[in-house]
Amino acid sequence: MQITHSEFKSYRAVCAEIADIKSQLDARYAGDTVQSGSKHPYSVHNVRIEGYVPDGNTLSLLVRLSDLERLRTAVEEFVDGISDSEIRTIVSLRYIRGKRRPSWQCIATRLGYCSEHTPTRKLQKYFLNGGNGGFPVL
């Protein structure tokens, strides 16, 4: 799957939206235990019934959750597929890890560079030279 720059930039927001949708769905999940004797051997036994409360919004939430999880998985697989360890670290720090996106200077310092331009140029060069068929990053 081809990943775009905007999909990378929105990765953290996608993860936050997944968590939000899951909390909404948790509130719509119901379970109950009933007694049944309608099946062979016709003795009364407890049966657990679980599922989402049926309403119009539940299905749309489940579909949206599925789409977002597919996008999150695609981005993560793309990053895992980057063979160059330094580039994978730059991409991971900039787009994947943490709740906030670190600055280029912070990434440069963490990788041992003095200039913030070094990781940006390395990443841009990697993608412009056809690294994983990706996108140019600025």
Side-chain angles (χ1 to χ4, degrees):
M1 181 177 178
Q2 183 74 11
I3 304 298
T4 66
H5 189 221
S6 63
E7 289 170 335
F8 263 113
K9 287 175 71 174
S10 67
Y11 177 83
R12 286 184 178 89
V14 165
C15 290
E17 189 174 355
I18 287 172
D20 182 51
I21 289 174
K22 283 183 177 181
S23 68
Q24 288 180 41
L25 287 172
D26 285 346
R28 296 168 190 260
Y29 195 78
D32 196 9
T33 302
V34 296
Q35 289 190 345
S36 175
S38 61
K39 292 186 179 180
H40 185 70
Y42 306 111
S43 61
V44 176
H45 59 280
N46 291 335
V47 177
R48 179 81 178 156
I49 300 173
E50 296 179 344
Y52 292 105
V53 176
D55 68 5
N57 202 18
T58 302
L59 183 59
S60 64
L61 285 173
L62 289 169
V63 169
R64 180 73 180 145
L65 179 64
S66 174
D67 292 341
L68 291 171
E69 286 181 339
R70 192 174 313 115
L71 175 60
R72 182 187 68 193
T73 302
V75 170
E76 290 170 353
E77 287 175 355
F78 182 86
V79 172
D80 289 342
I82 297 174
S83 57
D84 186 333
S85 177
E86 188 173 41
I87 299 298
R88 189 175 49 252
T89 301
I90 292 169
V91 170
S92 182
L93 287 172
R94 181 70 175 172
Y95 299 107
I96 306 299
R97 293 188 204 162
K99 294 189 182 233
R100 290 184 23 211
R101 182 168 32 159
S103 68
W104 285 111
Q105 184 60 50
C106 177
I107 293 170
T109 303
R110 191 155 178 194
L111 294 173
Y113 298 115
C114 295
S115 172
E116 66 186 53
H117 300 294
T118 305
T120 58
R121 288 181 183 145
K122 282 183 174 266
L123 192 59
Q124 190 172 28
K125 181 179 177 183
Y126 176 77
F127 284 119
L128 289 176
N129 287 336
N132 290 355
F135 58 89
V137 178
L138 298 177

